[in-house]
Amino acid sequence: MERFSLILEHPLFVEKLERINELERERLFCGHGMEHLLDVARIAYILYLESRPEQASGAPISSSEFSKEMFYAAAFLHDIGRARQYEDGTPHEQESARLAEMILPECGFDASESELMLDAILAHRTKIGKGRTGFVGFLYRADKLSRRCCDCAVADECDWELKNIRLEY
């Protein structure tokens, strides 16, 4: 996962993640730091593997399928625009896609991979994403499933409509 490692070291990614962490330091509700990003990446990849019955037999993933690295890259970039949303109200999926569009090619992702990941990032918090299948749908569902509302001290104060009362992943 060399290209994914380049994202983690990319100066723009590091800068934006640090800013999100600063702005969320006093946040009571779910955060958007490294723990969330890793949860989304892992759950998206699990959802993908579970959707492929041949994976139960240990068959290799074809190169024409989605790579683990693509799920991790998209997951780690899907909320990177959150700081701007906090600062000026720009929807974070739009800012995240804008930033990802700069970062992905610099980390070695080709145009078709980047296009798919950008589509998923843009749709991860919309009704459009909810109804999608494939890569976009996996990222959308993973983002929602990553929240541990059943273990949250402020769940009763939260107005998020998709509360996870039971852990599935």
Side-chain angles (χ1 to χ4, degrees), residues 12 15-21 23-24 32 79-99 102 125:
L12 189 54
E15 172 194 335
K16 298 302 179 183
L17 188 60
E18 286 175 359
R19 185 67 180 139
I20 291 165
N21 289 334
L23 292 168
E24 291 186 340
H32 302 88
D79 278 341
I80 203 66
R82 263 236 182 234
R84 181 145 182 224
Q85 181 171 322
Y86 294 144
E87 293 167 340
D88 70 13
T90 299
H92 79 267
E93 69 276 14
Q94 292 174 13
E95 180 65 3
S96 296
R98 187 185 74 77
L99 295 168
M102 292 185 277
R125 67 183 290 231

Side-chain angles (χ1 to χ4, degrees), residues 124-126 130 140-141 143-150 158-166:
H124 86 271
R125 67 183 290 231
T126 67
K130 183 178 183 177
Y140 175 88
R141 289 182 15 237
D143 186 45
K144 308 314 169 240
L145 289 167
S146 71
R147 302 304 186 176
R148 297 188 311 258
C149 305
C150 61
C158 179
D159 62 0
W160 194 45
E161 60 206 40
L162 302 172
K163 288 190 178 92
N164 293 317
I165 306 306
R166 293 185 323 234

